[in-house]
Amino acid sequence: MTTAETSVLPSVPGVPSEGALAGVKVLDLMWVVAGPTATRAMADFGATVIRVESANRIETARGIGPFHNNEQGPDHSGLFGNMNINKLGLSLNLATAEARDVLLDLIKWCDVLSESFSPRAMRAWGMDYESLREIKPDLIMLSTCLFGQAGPLSRVAGFGTMGSAIGGYIALAGNPGEAPIGPYSAYTDYLSPRFSLPTIMAALDHRDRTGEGLYIDQAQAESSLHFMSAALLDYTINGRVPQLVGNADPDMAPHGCYRASGDDDWVAIAVRNDADWANLCSAMGMGELTCDDRFADLSARKANEDELNEIVGGWTADRGALEVEYMLQAFGVPAHAVSNSAASADDPQMLHRGHFIRMEHPVHGETAFEAAKGQMSETPPSYRSAAPSIGRDNDLVLREILGYDDERIAQLAIADALT
């Protein structure tokens, strides 16, 4: 992936020497989820990622739960910990000129500069791409914010909750006649990294072939619209706006989430066609329903969907969610118990895949994290260190990577540049 000139790194603890991306150097100025997800994937596969933060303005994710022992604190957030393992932590007070000088040295060092500030921040520091390419022509720079670097909304700072709303996702989910509820969480934060990561990789490939750097301007809300393609096309071509339909599906019935016998236990069932319907009836011991004109085919089942859901829901209510799942799957009907967090953590498929890993955390001891989102047989991911506390690796970065001496580091401390 990288040329010999860009792959040379100091042989120091904390700097990976193996992995598919070993030798790739990333300067990470990103926040919360959308940006750090992409750089964490690179760190998992061997890139050296330096995460810059400041105690003067605590990273938002450090204040988002779940928290270890339900206690808030900058090193207690499970969300932050999950998004930033394998990264080096450097504290810089970028309000000071001295800290910005360090940042410039890191930009000269890195292959990829990734930032998720609002557009005015890097420009105000004189660190827009056009300025930076003058000192590092082969720099790859990713600017990823909610609405991109230009346009009427570009100066609006925001989070994925806003991206979900403006992208139309909130209006997609909800029950008929009720308020929309949208998908879970800040949805575009989980979609946009799927675009930023491969784009960075493509930019590295381009640089290695041509010697040219690239600037990537990613509007998270816009890139996430790719997952709205069907709804956007339906409106553009047919003038139809999606309506709230709860768990119903236009091409499947029954299709829903049905209450099981346990406390807040549910099971999802999807009947794709008439064969599934016949199998569901057999599983429920209600074979006579296959001869009922109300449910003879999809159009009939859709016309009588409320009655249909009452029948299915009455049957599931007397059984455990897992019992229903196993029984219906045995009959070839798609079904699955709705998992809560505890069930997901113990899910046999997740455990088989090694989805959860355990690492030593300096404050909380052995702690669970998610593994890399993908596996590669010849260059597997590695897990080297828990997410950094603020400034954890200052000495390593300043002294070993940038080569600063004691006097330079002392001057930075006196100037309040390392807070």
Side-chain angles (χ1 to χ4, degrees), residues 10-357:
S11 179
V12 296
V15 175
S17 58
E18 296 181 349
L21 297 181
V24 175
K25 298 166 287 189
V26 181
L27 181 57
D28 183 349
L29 306 181
M30 302 198 285
W31 279 41
V32 198
V33 172
T37 298
T39 50
R40 195 212 130 164
M42 298 183 73
D44 288 345
F45 287 95
T48 298
V49 179
I50 297 178
R51 182 82 150 81
V52 176
E53 297 182 79
S54 173
N56 295 324
R57 190 177 181 187
I58 299 293
E59 215 270 52
T60 300
R62 290 187 181 273
I64 300 176
F67 299 103
H68 288 275
N69 301 318
N70 293 320
E71 296 177 2
Q72 294 191 24
D75 289 318
H76 294 0
S77 168
L79 175 68
F80 180 87
N82 200 52
M83 297 299 169
N84 293 286
I85 72 170
N86 287 334
K87 300 180 185 180
L88 302 177
L90 173 67
S91 58
L92 286 179
N93 177 9
L94 294 175
T96 67
E98 292 82 358
R100 294 195 294 274
D101 288 341
V102 177
L103 193 63
L104 279 174
D105 284 343
L106 286 167
I107 290 169
K108 295 173 185 176
W109 163 85
C110 74
D111 299 305
V112 179
L113 166 63
S114 56
E115 60 92 8
S116 58
F117 298 119
S118 63
R120 58 184 177 270
M122 297 299 282
R123 295 171 190 167
W125 294 333
M127 295 185 188
D128 56 281
Y129 180 69
E130 292 304 316
S131 299
L132 293 176
R133 70 186 301 190
E134 294 295 321
I135 63 173
K136 188 175 177 62
D138 63 347
L139 176 67
I140 295 167
M141 180 174 175
L142 166 72
S143 293
T144 175
C145 60
L146 199 57
F147 300 118
Q149 299 295 300
L153 291 180
S154 62
R155 295 177 69 87
V156 177
F159 295 92
T161 46
M162 294 169 59
S164 299
I166 201 166
Y169 288 98
I170 298 297
L172 282 183
N175 294 315
E178 299 179 9
I181 58 176
Y184 174 73
S185 189
Y187 198 57
T188 58
D189 280 2
Y190 300 94
L191 297 178
S192 58
R194 275 67 182 170
F195 295 93
S196 53
L197 177 59
T199 305
I200 291 172
M201 300 304 297
L204 283 166
D205 178 66
H206 174 82
R207 186 209 59 183
D208 287 350
R209 288 184 290 104
T210 67
E212 298 174 348
L214 283 171
Y215 181 58
I216 304 165
D217 172 12
Q218 184 193 24
Q220 295 168 12
E222 182 180 349
S223 62
S224 297
L225 285 178
H226 287 271
F227 292 89
M228 285 281 289
S229 296
L232 291 171
L233 284 171
D234 197 22
Y235 173 74
T236 303
I237 296 172
N238 302 313
R240 285 196 296 256
V241 176
Q243 303 298 307
L244 298 179
V245 295
N247 289 315
D249 185 278
D251 301 313
M252 291 184 273
H255 184 281
C257 193
Y258 302 91
R259 184 180 289 278
S261 61
D263 182 22
D264 198 28
D265 282 349
W266 301 78
V267 61
I269 301 172
V271 169
R272 302 161 294 184
N273 48 44
D274 291 344
D276 279 355
W277 170 239
N279 289 334
L280 174 62
C281 292
S282 296
M284 294 191 299
M286 302 179 187
E288 69 278 3
L289 292 178
T290 59
C291 302
D292 192 319
D293 290 342
R294 295 173 299 168
F295 313 126
D297 53 25
L298 175 63
S299 60
R301 292 195 294 275
K302 291 297 293 181
N304 297 282
E305 198 159 19
D306 288 343
E307 290 179 76
L308 182 62
N309 284 330
E310 286 184 14
I311 293 170
V312 176
W315 178 75
T316 62
D318 294 330
R319 293 162 176 82
L322 285 174
E323 177 189 354
V324 174
E325 173 190 322
Y326 297 154
M327 181 182 298
L328 294 190
Q329 287 186 8
F331 276 82
V333 178
H336 201 284
V338 176
S339 298
N340 56 25
S341 55
S344 295
D346 292 330
D347 183 272
Q349 180 68 17
M350 294 286 197
L351 296 175
H352 176 81
R353 296 281 300 174
H355 182 80
F356 300 104
I357 57 174

